[in-house]
Amino acid sequence: MGIVTVPKQDRSRVTRQRLLEAAISCLAEYGWAGSTVSVVAERAGVSRGAAQHHFPTREDLFTAAVEYVAEVRSQAMRTLALRASHGTRPSPVRTRAVVRALVDLYTGPLFRAALQLWVAASNEAELCPRVIDLEARVGRETHRIAVELLGADERVPGIRETVQGLLDMARGLGLANLLTDDAARRERVVEQWAHIVDCVLKSRR
Amino acid sequence: MGIVTVPKQDRSRVTRQRLLEAAISCLAEYGWAGSTVSVVAERAGVSRGAAQHHFPTREDLFTAAVEYVAEVRSQAMRTLALRASHGTRPSPVRTRAVVRALVDLYTGPLFRAALQLWVAASNEAELCPRVIDLEARVGRETHRIAVELLGADERVPGIRETVQGLLDMARGLGLANLLTDDAARRERVVEQWAHIVDCVLKSRR
């Protein structure tokens, strides 16, 4: 076999991608205070100089990482929506699957990283407006996909707020899972609330 | 009038109290990374030496502040419960008032401070077990008081999880309020979910 040469542009893209993924896992693991550009570069197996070539400042790196979190989350939700559109009509079983999938979005490492950034942004003037803007966009997309997956009709009074409250609950469940494994309790809450949401939607379909 | 002498013990208690309150407001404002003992001492108008006399380490200071947060929160909830016990029987109006009061617990500066500690604890081995222990105690008490205020019968299947999910939603609404004023949206969500919770409880009373 000869030597495989990777085009320079592709190498650069791979390096960037590795830095973004390392930034997310550093945030989830060390928090904002412990996540410097050096720490992220080391985790990514990239020199500090190369990291700074891609992201001149710490804010640039983590803002890009937040964008990346949002894109991965959106992708995961689009996959869910696609699967659902091939699936069954609204039913208790489907509602339970959708509620569980939505709650899952808030309990993985992506949510942990986003939470660290969210909280850091509340104390960092540089970070705050970028995170607010991002959260508004991600929030709108999550809501839109939740409505679609649940087969909810938002023209009916109260349905919009039902879906919003459900997503607030999912966010709260994510927070409850931060320090301890809350899976057993969460499963029972999801079971009961999927039932409640299904009843509310059914009565107004 | 003569010179008013404050007993030494009282002065010490007042200093301690001021340090704890300053620790909470520093946490809410600067986050964990920005909240050193010096910063808190300055905010409290106390010398660094006096602060260290009361709390030898940073962890001691903030652990005590967390305990203090918990005590203030419990007190607020006991006041709510007391008011409710003088009030009306379970009704839609009372359920709405209770849901609103529970959600309010998660949107003030105490929640902001607790959130900062919670997230810091996920990256600080020293802090983590203390915060886990505290959150378990506070969580149990919040749940107990919510059940009492709502007049919920937990022997009925699903009711325990209904109340738990409601408190998760309140926590999620608190998080949504961290970077922007979410009051208008929150009010509509509270209105709709109070209605839903009231229907669930009513059907099983």
Side-chain angles (χ1 to χ4, degrees):
Chain A
M1 289 189 295
I3 295 165
V4 179
T5 54
V6 181
K8 197 177 169 189
Q9 207 182 327
D10 284 0
R11 277 208 314 270
S12 174
R13 202 169 43 77
V14 168
T15 299
R16 193 171 188 279
Q17 167 82 3
R18 273 161 63 183
L19 284 165
L20 293 175
E21 285 177 357
I24 296 303
S25 59
C26 284
L27 259 185
E29 201 168 318
Y30 310 129
W32 171 255
S35 296
T36 61
V37 175
S38 298
V39 168
V40 172
E42 198 184 327
R43 160 88 51 131
V46 165
S47 74
R48 191 150 188 283
Q52 280 179 325
H53 168 73
H54 283 275
F55 304 103
T57 72
R58 190 183 176 207
E59 274 73 23
D60 293 332
L61 171 58
F62 287 97
T63 305
V66 172
E67 292 282 355
Y68 175 72
V69 169
E71 185 46 44
V72 172
R73 278 183 55 169
S74 297
Q75 199 63 49
M77 287 187 288
R78 270 184 237 118
T79 308
L80 275 181
L82 200 67
R83 254 189 244 146
S85 69
H86 292 295
T88 51
R89 295 178 62 77
S91 73
V93 172
R94 173 162 158 185
T95 301
R96 197 193 304 138
V98 170
V99 171
R100 188 171 290 136
L102 289 170
V103 168
D104 282 350
L105 287 176
Y106 293 87
T107 48
L110 287 179
F111 175 73
R112 294 177 102 81
L115 181 61
Q116 295 282 352
L117 258 176
W118 209 337
V119 169
S122 75
N123 316 116
E124 305 257 345
E126 173 75 8
L127 212 51
C128 194
R130 301 194 198 188
V131 176
I132 287 175
D133 174 61
L134 179 72
E135 284 301 328
R137 277 186 285 133
V138 173
R140 272 195 302 273
E141 174 139 15
T142 311
H143 182 88
R144 194 181 56 72
I145 295 181
V147 166
E148 191 181 319
L149 289 171
L150 291 165
D153 184 353
E154 292 205 291
R155 290 165 305 181
V156 178
I159 292 301
R160 184 175 174 74
E161 291 75 19
T162 301
V163 176
Q164 285 180 330
L166 177 66
L167 291 172
D168 287 312
M169 195 192 73
R171 204 183 294 120
L173 285 167
L175 196 49
N177 198 54
L178 184 65
L179 301 184
T180 50
D181 179 1
D182 189 41
R185 184 189 76 92
R186 183 169 66 245
E187 181 56 33
R188 292 190 297 270
V189 171
V190 163
E191 181 78 18
Q192 170 66 3
W193 279 94
H195 173 68
I196 292 173
V197 166
D198 194 65
C199 290
V200 173
L201 295 180
K202 196 179 289 170
S203 70
R204 297 170 202 190
R205 252 174 209 139
Chain B
M1 291 188 294
I3 295 165
V4 179
T5 53
V6 181
K8 197 176 169 190
Q9 210 182 327
D10 285 1
R11 276 207 315 268
S12 174
R13 205 168 42 77
V14 168
T15 300
R16 192 171 188 280
Q17 167 81 4
R18 273 162 62 183
L19 283 165
L20 293 175
E21 286 177 358
I24 296 303
S25 59
C26 284
L27 259 185
E29 201 168 317
Y30 310 129
W32 171 255
S35 296
T36 61
V37 175
S38 299
V39 167
V40 172
E42 199 185 324
R43 160 88 49 129
V46 165
S47 74
R48 193 152 186 282
Q52 280 179 327
H53 168 74
H54 283 276
F55 304 103
T57 70
R58 189 183 177 208
E59 273 74 22
D60 293 332
L61 171 58
F62 286 97
T63 305
V66 172
E67 291 282 355
Y68 175 71
V69 168
E71 186 45 44
V72 172
R73 279 183 54 171
S74 296
Q75 200 62 50
M77 287 188 286
R78 270 184 236 118
T79 308
L80 274 180
L82 200 68
R83 252 189 246 147
S85 69
H86 292 295
T88 50
R89 296 178 61 77
S91 72
V93 171
R94 174 163 157 185
T95 301
R96 198 193 301 138
V98 170
V99 171
R100 189 172 288 136
L102 289 170
V103 168
D104 281 351
L105 286 176
Y106 292 88
T107 48
L110 287 179
F111 176 74
R112 293 177 103 79
L115 182 62
Q116 296 281 352
L117 258 176
W118 209 337
V119 169
S122 76
N123 315 117
E124 305 257 345
E126 172 75 9
L127 212 52
C128 193
R130 303 194 196 188
V131 175
I132 287 175
D133 175 61
L134 180 73
E135 283 301 327
R137 279 187 285 132
V138 173
R140 273 194 301 272
E141 175 139 16
T142 311
H143 182 87
R144 195 182 56 72
I145 294 181
V147 165
E148 191 181 318
L149 289 172
L150 291 166
D153 183 354
E154 291 205 292
R155 292 165 304 182
V156 178
I159 292 301
R160 183 174 175 75
E161 291 74 19
T162 301
V163 175
Q164 287 181 329
L166 178 66
L167 291 173
D168 287 311
M169 194 191 74
R171 203 184 296 120
L173 285 167
L175 196 50
N177 199 53
L178 185 65
L179 301 183
T180 50
D181 179 1
D182 189 41
R185 185 190 75 93
R186 184 170 64 246
E187 181 57 33
R188 292 191 297 271
V189 171
V190 164
E191 181 77 20
Q192 169 68 0
W193 279 90
H195 173 69
I196 292 173
V197 166
D198 194 65
C199 291
V200 173
L201 295 180
K202 195 179 290 167
S203 70
R204 296 168 203 192
R205 252 176 210 138

